[in-house]
Amino acid sequence: MTEIAVTLVIDKLFQLLAQEAELLKDVQREVVCIRDELESIKCFLNDVEASEGKGDLHDGLKTWVKQVREAAFHIEDVIDQYILHVAQYRHQHSFVAFLNKIGRILTKLKPCHEIATKIRHIKISIREIRERSERYGFTSTQQGSGSGATNAVTWHDSRVGSLFTEEGEVVGIESTRNELVSWLIRGEARRSVISMVGMGGIGKTTLAKKLYETESVEGHFDCRVWITVSQSYNLQKILKAMTKQIYQEKETTVLMELNIMDEITLISQLRHYLLQKSYVVVFDDVWKTEFWEVVKHALPCNNRGSRIIITTRSHHVGVYCKESPSDLIHNLQPLSQKKAWELFCRKAFQAEFQGKCPRELVRLSLEIVRKCEGLPLAIVAIGGLLSTKEKVPLEWRKLHDSLSSELESNPHLTSVAKILCLSYHDLPYYLKSCFLYFSIFPEDYSITDSRLFRLWIAEGFIEGKKGKQLEQVAEECLMELIHRNLVQVSFGDLDYEVRRKYRIHDLLHEIILSKAGELNFCQVLEADDLSFNGKGRRLSIHDPRQNVVDTIEPFQVRSLFLFNLNEMPRSFMVKLFKKFKLLKVLDFEDAPIDYIPKEVGNLFHLKHLSLRNTKVKILPKSVGRLQNLQTLNVMETPVRELPIEIFKLYKLRHLLAHYYDLGIKSSLYSLQGVKIHNRVGCLKDLQTLSLVKANHHGAGIIKELGKLRQLRMLGVSNITAEDGRVLCASMKNMNHLKILVVSSISEDEMLDLQCISCPPQLLEHVILRGRLEQFPNWIPELHNLVTLGLYFSGLEEDPLKCIQALPSLVNLFLNQGYAGEHLHFEEVGFRKLKKLTLRKLDRLKMVEIDRGALPLLEQLEIGPCPQLKEVPPGIQHLENLKTLDFSEIHREFVLKMQPDRGEDYWKVKKVTTVRFRYRIQGERYQIYRLGDLDLLERLQG
């Protein structure tokens, strides 16, 4: 984390030297010296942070690292203040005049003298920090410390307990264990590998050990080997340990010569011995693909039914070890709520109450179990701790409310924190900041990938790569965190889009919240939080107390977030913009504010401004002074027109401005864009533009769109037929376009999009809202298309034949999109489709699904479809269908599906969830499940 702070400062120094050479001529040598010193320190910091996770850092080294971090922050503060002063001066004087009178300005511009003094002081401070590291021998992180007894404590592997789990602590793995035992002893003769993948604490080692010790497995193989690998392994020691376990004193000569064998000899010896044996080898806790790349050569493919089990937190490792079709990847899932509760009660009430939770503790116990989110390690540890407590609500409440600090300090729980932290410490420095960023958001908070990318880029966490956009690099970083099982994927959807969202496990959130505070990465201000010190680089406010701004160091904060607030005092807003002048990120999403003061234009460094879902009606013209702004988000606000001054924002990459009126959800007019002037083509860096009204300046604005060659997402509303033809011409230049949303001006206006001769081949999501005379002939050519939405299209011909062969289609929405009576999903069609919505198809009488069609479909939504008389024939063939939703379906249709005597119940009985929605008022619905008595009463009424 300190390394990223130093890296960001080094980059700023390079920029400063390049851009302000004339103004810095008196201190240029000092700035170069500081940069060079920091680059030297950065190399050492890489080793320091790698050693942190192993507990190798002594107190003196920790203090030194903290001093480096604070020095880096101080340098950043000085540079940013200086740049702000220069920018303000240039705003008051024309830029040309500024250059012409540079000599006179140098004598008058006070910040130049101030920065010279501060830079000289910083140079001395950095030199002292380096000299201190040499004085105390901080040249190697492997050196011990002579500074006190605390450093004499031996670090133990917290995962040892997983090898000796009691049978009573094993819940929810019975079926998995039986299935894998069968694979071990009855599978193919070919040597096979199974990789057990999952986050830390989910039970990989426990499951592997239970498999390894199963009696039928013990007796099936000629020899068995168990090796714990871990992050920092010694391959030669591992090969020796394998040899010892295999020979088991049988070959005394080999064991006597073991210490003089090199790696190649050890591998050869193992291969020779195992060639005629059936063996099972477990490599527990593998972190790197490089380990398997070498050790696999010691394990011959001898066609004797040999098996290798690998446990790992990394999806990359699992994929890397899968070298043949017979190799498996088994992703371990968290315990279900039922199994988690069973395990918790076993541990917490093992000696009393017959293993059952007393009534007065049920609510608090359920909350505690929910925090564990099915993680067996946490459930066992917390349950074990509570078993030692008095069984009264007060004790339960104490633990619930102080779980974060208990994870750090309580001996019963520190092993949980250590195991979970291993994944954090294994991250490269650039991913640590990306992961810590989740500490800003509240517990259980899910964030869309696009928002996350924009924030990471604004913060400077994403380093450019040749041939790739920053957003692409950010996506790679997120995927790496997912593959390391640190970030979880969740889904949220609206009718006109499907959005992927991401979150982290609640316990990981508790841990990184503490880590972020320790590093001054982020401070979270909540009601009655006494730990707040106002020194974080990022501030996440959950309680806008009156004096909060007064307690914060003004030049420290770079990012400000607001969450879960019911009110926002105007005094807070006034103080905020007056005091925090170095902000880079200002995220007011969902905040109870109704205006933005003109002082927002003073935030020269601001790169990200989000007012999404606020009551702000007008953007001040001063936003045109935000020369570094990359993201402007006014989605779902009353803002209906953007000021012409936004065309001064030449670094703008993302302009999000559409709103969705839930009051008229089923109407074409529910999704609307904002008015924008027709000079939008000057914003050459724009990647996201959604949505703009087309009819505000006629076809001129549509032609301007053709100049935006970097667009990844485009949304246009109020399109006429003529505009559609112009849009087709403009899209020829949008080779990078991935998302297209087009909405017509009225229900009677035809959407004419037939003129696209060569559509953007990277298109993944297409949403068309408006009447279509015929299905667009270019859509079947989109082999990367993931989502297709047809709204109010009123197509007379069945569109399914045109799109059933699309190889990547996952989501299909037909909302008033088809005016025919029959939809037929043929056997070969829609091989990847997972979500299908058939809504408000008023003339639809029959939906027919052939066996073999829609093999991966998981969610199906039907209705209102007043002419539909029966459950679609063939729905029983959808083996992966998990959720089936019906909206405003008539009484006879529902009765046919009832479990007791419904004639169509057999078609849906294997579906996990069957629900029925009925409108209460406006867009409010009552939801029932299949078999609910309330549903039957409603139908009878």
Side-chain angles (χ1 to χ4, degrees):
M1 179 49 227
T2 302
E3 189 175 354
I4 189 69
V6 171
T7 301
L8 290 173
V9 169
I10 292 172
D11 291 343
K12 280 200 170 185
L13 290 173
F14 270 113
Q15 294 171 18
L16 192 65
L17 287 167
Q19 296 171 8
E20 307 292 349
E22 183 64 27
L23 289 176
L24 290 172
K25 62 182 181 181
D26 292 337
V27 290
Q28 192 163 14
R29 287 187 59 189
E30 282 81 358
V31 173
V32 171
C33 182
I34 292 170
R35 184 198 66 194
D36 293 344
E37 290 277 12
L38 287 176
E39 285 187 319
S40 299
I41 289 172
K42 179 186 170 185
C43 296
F44 177 56
L45 282 173
N46 194 25
D47 294 334
V48 170
E49 297 203 353
S51 301
E52 185 181 3
K54 297 180 285 185
D56 291 346
L57 297 192
H58 49 73
D59 292 342
L61 190 50
K62 287 179 181 178
T63 301
W64 181 83
V65 170
K66 181 182 178 182
Q67 290 170 348
V68 172
R69 184 168 61 248
E70 290 176 348
F73 288 158
H74 182 47
I75 296 169
E76 184 181 27
D77 293 343
V78 170
I79 295 171
D80 284 349
Q81 289 175 58
Y82 168 72
I83 293 174
L84 177 63
H85 283 305
V86 172
Q88 289 173 338
Y89 196 92
R90 288 174 176 168
H91 175 64
Q92 296 166 6
H93 302 72
S94 72
F95 185 66
V96 175
F98 179 86
L99 292 177
N100 292 337
K101 300 176 183 178
I102 191 72
R104 181 165 57 85
I105 291 171
L106 279 172
T107 62
K108 293 183 178 180
L109 197 57
K110 184 180 177 183
C112 291
H113 303 294
E114 291 180 350
I115 193 174
T117 302
K118 290 179 178 179
I119 283 176
R120 291 187 180 102
H121 288 160
I122 288 170
K123 177 187 174 183
I124 294 170
S125 175
I126 292 293
R127 182 178 293 162
E128 287 177 350
I129 289 173
R130 178 180 54 78
E131 290 173 352
R132 196 176 302 123
S133 72
E134 295 171 353
R135 190 183 314 133
Y136 291 105
F138 300 162
T139 54
S140 170
T141 59
Q142 303 303 316
Q143 290 182 2
S145 169
S147 59
T150 56
N151 298 304
V153 177
T154 305
W155 185 81
H156 297 286
D157 192 335
S158 305
R159 296 159 293 187
V160 170
S162 301
L163 298 173
F164 305 101
T165 306
E166 298 293 338
E167 195 63 34
E169 296 177 3
V170 180
V171 170
I173 67 169
E174 296 80 6
S175 61
T176 302
R177 175 167 55 182
N178 295 337
E179 178 185 337
L180 294 180
V181 165
S182 177
W183 175 83
L184 284 169
I185 63 181
R186 297 190 185 91
E188 295 184 18
R190 178 187 174 91
R191 187 206 75 180
S192 300
V193 180
I194 182 168
S195 299
M196 297 180 184
V197 182
M199 71 177 292
I202 206 165
K204 302 181 295 296
T205 299
T206 299
L207 177 57
K209 191 68 172 176
K210 294 304 176 185
L211 289 173
Y212 186 76
E213 293 176 343
T214 299
E215 188 174 341
S216 57
V217 172
E218 284 190 33
H220 181 77
F221 296 96
D222 297 330
C223 53
R224 300 182 306 140
V225 175
W226 180 285
I227 298 293
T228 299
V229 181
S230 74
Q231 287 166 296
S232 54
Y233 62 88
N234 182 306
L235 185 60
Q236 193 165 4
K237 287 184 179 179
I238 284 175
L239 293 170
K240 288 179 180 179
M242 291 173 65
T243 305
K244 288 179 181 178
Q245 290 187 45
I246 285 172
Y247 279 95
Q248 294 180 343
E249 308 300 335
K250 294 175 185 175
E251 297 283 345
T252 54
T253 305
V254 172
L255 294 176
M256 288 175 62
E257 296 176 352
L258 202 58
N259 290 331
I260 61 172
M261 292 184 183
D262 59 18
E263 286 182 11
I264 301 299
T265 306
L266 287 165
I267 290 172
S268 300
Q269 189 69 42
L270 285 166
R271 282 186 68 86
H272 176 74
Y273 184 85
L274 294 174
L275 199 57
Q276 303 302 320
K277 306 284 186 182
S278 65
Y279 59 84
V280 58
V281 178
V282 178
F283 293 119
D284 183 39
D285 199 32
V286 177
W287 291 76
K288 308 295 181 186
T289 56
E290 292 82 359
F291 170 78
W292 175 246
E293 183 59 35
V294 177
V295 81
K296 68 180 180 181
H297 298 298
L299 306 167
C301 298
N302 53 12
N303 291 323
R304 292 180 174 269
S306 297
R307 300 288 183 260
I308 300 161
I309 300 173
I310 289 171
T311 73
T312 179
R313 303 184 186 201
S314 170
H315 179 73
H316 284 312
V317 171
V319 171
Y320 193 83
C321 297
K322 182 175 171 57
E323 299 180 341
S324 74
S326 61
D327 296 337
L328 302 177
I329 298 176
H330 180 74
N331 293 294
L332 270 74
Q333 301 300 319
L335 295 177
S336 67
Q337 183 68 16
K338 181 179 178 181
K339 291 295 183 181
W341 178 250
E342 178 186 339
L343 180 57
F344 175 80
C345 290
R346 282 190 191 182
K347 289 298 295 180
F349 310 109
Q350 53 189 323
E352 46 195 329
F353 305 110
Q354 293 81 47
K356 296 182 179 179
C357 180
R359 183 181 302 174
E360 63 273 15
L361 295 177
V362 168
R363 185 177 62 83
L364 279 168
S365 296
L366 284 171
E367 289 181 16
I368 291 170
V369 171
R370 185 195 60 78
K371 273 184 172 286
C372 296
E373 293 191 65
L375 202 64
L377 171 75
I379 296 169
V380 168
I382 294 174
L385 172 60
L386 288 171
S387 71
T388 67
K389 304 284 186 180
E390 189 178 356
K391 307 302 184 292
V392 294
L394 180 62
E395 289 295 328
W396 256 237
R397 173 58 66 185
K398 284 180 182 177
L399 178 69
H400 177 276
D401 294 345
S402 62
L403 187 56
S404 180
S405 59
E406 291 288 332
L407 285 168
E408 290 182 21
S409 58
N410 194 300
H412 287 87
L413 301 184
T414 50
S415 62
V416 177
K418 286 180 180 177
I419 288 174
L420 294 179
C421 276
L422 285 173
S423 294
Y424 166 76
H425 291 304
D426 188 61
L427 292 172
Y429 78 90
Y430 60 89
L431 281 182
K432 283 182 178 176
S433 293
C434 293
F435 183 55
L436 283 178
Y437 215 72
F438 284 91
S439 66
I440 291 171
F441 308 104
E443 187 178 281
D444 287 331
Y445 193 91
S446 292
I447 180 171
T448 60
D449 50 3
S450 55
R451 183 184 176 196
L452 199 57
F453 300 159
R454 294 192 290 265
L455 288 167
W456 283 350
I457 291 168
E459 296 280 3
F461 297 160
I462 306 302
E463 298 179 0
K465 291 184 179 179
K466 188 175 181 180
K468 291 184 178 180
Q469 291 283 331
L470 290 173
E471 287 77 7
Q472 292 175 291
V473 181
E475 184 175 11
E476 292 174 0
C477 291
L478 178 60
M479 294 311 297
E480 178 69 18
L481 291 173
I482 293 169
H483 289 153
R484 289 171 177 261
N485 281 286
L486 285 169
V487 173
Q488 302 170 352
V489 183
S490 58
F491 291 90
D493 60 86
L494 294 174
D495 287 342
Y496 59 91
E497 64 179 345
V498 174
R499 303 178 299 177
R500 300 196 72 159
K501 290 187 175 183
Y502 301 85
R503 63 183 295 273
I504 62 171
H505 192 283
D506 279 356
L507 291 182
L508 277 176
H509 186 269
E510 296 278 2
I511 289 169
I512 68 168
L513 197 59
S514 173
K515 191 71 177 174
E518 173 192 334
L519 298 172
N520 285 338
F521 180 88
C522 173
Q523 283 271 301
V524 175
L525 176 61
E526 297 179 293
D528 304 321
D529 185 358
L530 300 179
S531 65
F532 181 75
N533 60 24
K535 292 184 178 180
R537 303 301 276 185
R538 292 154 199 90
L539 183 60
S540 182
I541 299 179
H542 302 190
D543 172 33
R545 61 181 71 160
Q546 291 288 338
N547 65 340
V548 62
V549 178
D550 300 327
T551 63
I552 302 168
E553 293 291 335
F555 297 120
Q556 291 269 343
V557 178
R558 291 299 185 278
S559 303
L560 182 66
F561 293 81
L562 304 178
F563 293 104
N564 303 326
L565 304 181
N566 295 320
E567 61 178 6
M568 176 61 66
R570 285 223 166 196
S571 59
F572 177 89
M573 295 290 287
V574 172
K575 288 182 180 180
L576 186 148
F577 285 97
K578 184 178 180 180
K579 190 171 184 178
F580 299 133
K581 297 180 179 179
L582 302 182
L583 286 171
K584 292 191 295 186
V585 171
L586 194 53
D587 197 310
F588 283 154
E589 183 165 324
D590 299 321
I593 61 174
D594 58 8
Y595 87 111
I596 288 291
K598 63 181 181 180
E599 285 77 12
V600 69
N602 296 332
L603 303 179
F604 178 78
H605 295 285
L606 197 65
K607 295 183 177 181
H608 181 101
L609 176 59
S610 177
L611 306 173
R612 180 172 181 169
N613 202 28
T614 65
K615 299 285 193 300
V616 174
K617 299 179 179 65
I618 298 174
L619 286 180
K621 293 182 178 181
S622 60
V623 296
R625 288 161 45 199
L626 302 176
Q627 297 175 30
N628 291 297
L629 197 66
Q630 297 172 349
T631 296
L632 176 60
N633 189 342
V634 291
M635 285 173 58
E636 298 165 31
T637 69
V639 173
R640 298 294 178 259
E641 183 171 359
L642 299 178
I644 196 169
E645 284 77 12
I646 67 164
F647 297 135
K648 298 177 183 179
L649 308 179
Y650 295 115
K651 294 184 181 179
L652 198 63
R653 299 165 73 90
H654 306 283
L655 179 53
L656 301 109
H658 66 259
Y659 60 97
Y660 193 68
D661 192 339
L662 292 175
I664 50 173
K665 186 173 182 180
S666 60
S667 167
L668 171 68
Y669 311 108
S670 59
L671 180 64
Q672 289 291 331
V674 297
K675 295 178 181 179
I676 191 170
H677 295 266
N678 63 1
R679 285 175 47 203
V680 70
C682 69
L683 301 177
K684 302 294 186 183
D685 286 348
L686 266 187
Q687 295 189 20
T688 305
L689 180 60
S690 177
L691 273 71
V692 294
K693 282 188 174 180
N695 67 326
H696 186 50
H697 283 282
I701 193 171
I702 306 297
K703 291 179 181 178
E704 283 281 303
L705 295 177
K707 300 177 182 179
L708 304 177
R709 297 172 179 261
Q710 297 300 318
L711 278 180
R712 268 64 177 173
M713 176 179 182
L714 173 63
V716 188
S717 68
N718 292 60
I719 285 277
T720 64
E722 180 186 352
D723 292 335
R725 291 187 285 272
V726 178
L727 179 62
C728 290
S730 293
M731 284 177 57
K732 292 177 181 178
N733 300 323
M734 301 177 189
N735 296 327
H736 303 289
L737 196 65
K738 290 188 174 184
I739 302 174
L740 175 66
V741 180
V742 180
S743 186
S744 67
I745 192 170
S746 71
E747 294 179 353
D748 298 325
E749 187 77 16
M750 198 66 68
L751 207 55
D752 187 354
L753 298 173
Q754 290 293 338
C755 303
I756 303 179
S757 57
C758 185
Q761 287 302 301
L762 297 179
L763 269 174
E764 295 179 358
H765 307 277
V766 174
I767 307 295
L768 303 181
R769 298 168 56 86
R771 285 184 59 199
L772 293 171
E773 189 172 1
Q774 56 182 315
F775 188 78
N777 54 18
W778 48 271
I779 289 181
E781 301 175 24
L782 302 176
H783 296 295
N784 293 303
L785 192 66
V786 174
T787 301
L788 175 62
L790 300 177
Y791 294 76
F792 317 103
S793 306
L795 288 166
E796 297 290 342
E797 294 185 16
D798 184 350
L800 300 184
K801 292 183 182 295
C802 301
I803 57 176
Q804 63 181 356
L806 284 171
S808 304
L809 193 65
V810 175
N811 309 293
L812 176 60
F813 304 109
L814 298 180
N815 187 337
Q816 300 183 52
Y818 175 56
E821 298 181 353
H822 185 257
L823 282 175
H824 184 198
F825 293 89
E826 299 178 2
E827 178 183 357
V828 296
F830 301 101
R831 310 306 295 173
K832 294 284 186 69
L833 202 70
K834 291 187 177 182
K835 182 168 184 176
L836 172 63
T837 296
L838 306 174
R839 184 177 295 171
K840 297 201 73 174
L841 306 182
D842 292 342
R843 294 173 58 190
L844 186 67
K845 294 182 178 180
M846 171 68 73
V847 177
E848 187 178 356
I849 303 172
D850 290 350
R851 182 188 290 272
L854 305 165
L856 300 181
L857 193 69
E858 297 177 358
Q859 300 177 59
L860 173 58
E861 181 181 339
I862 299 176
C865 298
Q867 302 297 319
L868 196 63
K869 301 300 182 185
E870 63 173 316
V871 177
I875 201 170
Q876 68 273 13
H877 303 318
L878 304 178
E879 297 182 358
N880 287 296
L881 190 62
K882 297 180 175 62
T883 304
L884 179 57
D885 287 318
F886 294 99
S887 296
E888 302 286 332
I889 295 295
H890 57 77
R891 179 175 179 273
E892 291 74 17
F893 191 102
V894 179
L895 290 176
K896 286 181 180 180
M897 282 185 284
Q898 292 309 305
D900 48 1
R901 56 185 179 277
E903 59 189 80
D904 284 339
Y905 174 66
W906 65 278
K907 295 180 182 179
V908 299
K909 65 179 181 180
K910 292 183 180 180
V911 182
T912 307
T913 303
V914 181
R915 297 180 297 205
F916 303 88
R917 297 196 320 159
Y918 289 93
R919 191 188 307 269
I920 300 173
Q921 183 180 13
E923 286 302 317
R924 292 177 58 236
Y925 288 84
Q926 179 70 50
I927 299 177
Y928 305 91
R929 288 179 178 267
L930 185 64
D932 282 356
L933 292 178
D934 290 346
L935 172 62
L936 296 176
E937 289 176 6
R938 178 189 178 95
L939 294 174
Q940 295 297 334

